[in-house]
Amino acid sequence: MQSFDVAVIGAGAAGLFCAGVAGQLGLRVLLVDHAPKVAEKVRISGGGRCNFTNRDLDPRAPHKHFLGENPHFCRSALSRYTPNDFIELVRRHGIPHHEKHKGQLFGDRSSDDFIRMLLAECEAGGVTRWQPCKVEAVRQGAEGGYALDTDRGVVQAGRLVIATGGLSIPQIGASDFGLRIARQFGLRIVAPRAALVPLTFDAQAWSPYASLAGLSLPVRIATGEKKQRAVFDEDLLFTHRGLSGPAVLQISSYWQPDSPVQLDLAPGLALDEVLRQAKARSRRLLANELAAHLPARLADAWVQQEAAWQRPVNEVPDKALAQLAQRLSDWSLVPTGTEGWRKAEVMAGGVDTRELSSQTLESKQPGLYFIGEVVDVTGWLGGYNFQWAWASAFACAQALAASRG
């Protein structure tokens, strides 16, 4: 039986980084993953360029960009390992990068740059990596710590870190392993759900808009009431089954089943006034006037809904114009669901943060740690979830080194 100070299960963003940091702090680390390739989420993120962090993250106010049963839980880790800390690591490895918009940082070339960086950090820490290697069972060791039954034999580890991610994108190896381990040791789970995911609608109700698939435009999107209300100004994408794009992915993390989302398809534009002015000076079809401010396909699809809108603008009654402006500025619709785990970028919910130390990520089960997506911490689209992975991994690695003395 082989023995290590720490076993890290899961070779994604959080697991790789935690293993590398812990190894460089002098610990004997084993990193195990059931998949043949490391960090597949890193590989596919940001269109293959990796949106690796976000400059706009404010560690003092994590509730601005993170959600969960306790969105303040992540403050400690995020304040001790900031976006600037990870950017410095990226620079040390000579990886060119740029800011796209809203603080989002991407690699200039390929996500593979970041995977090579994480593997190099593990190599610098002397990390032993078994991959692919399936962990059949985890139990408390006879001499303390944990014993892992793997398809490469039994392993003894003084500390165990679960970095197996969530349920999103099962086609690249996602599993419920981390949640099963938490339950095995009596830890509470916040019900997992798909987040950063496209929304879907009843096929018949959506039929007037299905032909708009592929159309994108900037919108304001909102859901929820009063203090629970979430609002985003982002791009919307029509699909055959519903809505996607950054606006919808963002709002999906806050959307509750059977509740509506509200869309302003012309944010910042007083459409009622614009249409009244058009009526006073133009004899063009209303759809053509509308197309000066909205994509033509959208304008055409919208005016088909009412006979009064299918006329020259100067012939449309004032009440019908006002009704059109109101519907476009406050389009309320109730999704029937989401595209589910297959299209979700992350999992919301996970290991209840009340079961974990915010400073060390150790659970109430001594020597058992949870980091990254498996924890009930979910960030906005745009690099926030990766920053949580780096920060939680770093905080955990520091705690592992300190616990060894």
Side-chain angles (χ1 to χ4, degrees):
M1 176 167 50
Q2 297 194 55
S3 180
F4 295 86
D5 296 321
V6 180
V8 179
I9 304 179
L16 281 165
F17 193 51
C18 182
V21 174
Q24 291 176 47
L25 290 172
L27 299 173
R28 291 175 298 116
V29 181
L30 171 66
L31 177 63
V32 182
D33 198 292
H34 70 283
K37 293 183 178 179
V38 299
E40 280 295 277
K41 264 200 174 178
V42 174
R43 192 183 308 279
I44 66 174
S45 75
R49 292 192 175 185
C50 190
N51 178 195
F52 60 90
T53 192
N54 196 299
R55 287 189 191 276
D56 290 348
L57 190 154
D58 182 358
R60 297 164 299 179
H63 62 282
K64 290 182 179 179
H65 299 117
F66 292 87
L67 62 151
E69 295 278 306
N70 177 13
H72 294 280
F73 172 84
C74 54
R75 178 189 287 121
S76 176
L78 291 170
S79 64
R80 286 182 289 142
Y81 195 83
T82 68
N84 284 338
D85 292 319
F86 194 77
I87 291 166
E88 180 55 33
L89 178 66
V90 169
R91 286 178 177 150
R92 288 206 308 270
H93 282 264
I95 300 175
H97 57 278
H98 61 278
E99 183 173 332
K100 190 173 181 181
H101 74 137
K102 296 187 176 182
Q104 300 173 14
L105 294 182
F106 290 76
D108 289 352
R109 298 182 302 222
S110 164
S111 299
D112 288 339
D113 286 344
F114 298 92
I115 296 173
R116 283 191 290 269
M117 177 189 77
L118 293 168
L119 289 172
E121 290 292 304
C122 285
E123 187 174 342
V127 174
T128 300
R129 184 159 56 91
W130 290 358
Q131 201 172 10
C133 177
K134 186 175 182 181
V135 178
E136 303 285 354
V138 172
R139 62 186 188 280
Q140 290 185 275
E143 301 175 3
Y146 294 88
L148 281 59
D149 296 327
T150 82
D151 56 17
R152 298 196 190 186
V154 180
V155 174
Q156 175 75 26
R159 300 284 187 272
L160 178 61
V161 180
I162 304 298
T164 49
L167 303 174
S168 59
I169 323 182
Q171 56 270 38
I172 61 170
S175 80
D176 66 346
F177 182 90
L179 302 179
R180 284 189 279 119
I181 294 298
R183 292 190 183 102
Q184 176 184 333
F185 288 100
L187 306 178
R188 288 171 292 189
I189 302 293
V190 175
R193 58 188 176 86
L196 299 183
V197 64
L199 298 174
T200 57
F201 297 84
D202 173 76
Q204 184 174 354
W206 192 248
S207 59
Y209 312 106
S211 63
L212 297 175
L215 179 69
S216 178
L217 74 158
V219 301
R220 173 166 290 174
I221 191 168
T223 195
E225 300 293 335
K226 298 180 180 178
K227 288 185 178 181
Q228 303 301 317
R229 191 162 180 81
V231 182
F232 293 95
D233 292 302
E234 286 281 6
D235 286 352
L236 175 79
L237 175 68
F238 283 84
T239 72
H240 291 291
R241 289 163 45 84
L243 296 171
S244 187
V248 170
L249 298 187
Q250 294 281 41
I251 212 69
S252 71
S253 296
Y254 295 86
W255 175 72
Q256 297 295 323
D258 301 321
S259 62
V261 295
Q262 288 82 35
L263 283 163
D264 182 349
L265 297 174
L269 185 66
L271 259 183
D272 52 350
E273 180 61 26
V274 167
L275 294 179
R276 280 200 303 270
Q277 291 178 3
K279 179 175 181 176
R281 60 169 171 73
S282 174
R283 296 183 178 181
R284 296 199 305 166
L285 288 171
L286 174 56
N288 292 339
E289 288 295 335
L290 203 55
H293 307 284
L294 294 171
R297 286 169 61 200
L298 180 62
D300 287 340
W302 211 268
V303 299
Q304 295 305 313
Q305 298 177 49
E306 299 285 346
W309 297 342
Q310 299 168 33
R311 306 178 186 176
V313 65
N314 61 314
E315 297 178 11
V316 180
D318 290 347
K319 184 177 180 180
L321 281 181
Q323 185 185 47
L324 174 62
Q326 194 276 330
R327 285 196 198 174
L328 287 166
S329 301
D330 188 15
W331 184 22
S332 182
L333 59 172
V334 179
T336 53
T338 76
E339 290 285 2
W341 296 116
R342 189 174 62 86
K343 292 289 186 73
E345 296 202 7
V346 296
M347 176 182 78
V351 178
D352 194 323
T353 54
R354 290 175 295 181
E355 305 283 13
L356 306 175
S357 162
S358 63
Q359 294 191 332
T360 68
L361 283 301
E362 185 176 13
S363 71
K364 291 180 179 178
Q365 168 65 33
L368 179 62
Y369 300 72
F370 292 83
I371 59 175
E373 189 182 346
V374 73
V375 178
D376 178 32
V377 172
T378 304
W380 284 11
L381 187 73
Y384 293 99
N385 287 292
F386 273 137
Q387 187 57 39
W388 167 243
W390 317 135
S392 61
F394 184 83
C396 179
Q398 295 285 327
L400 290 166
S403 70
R404 185 169 179 261

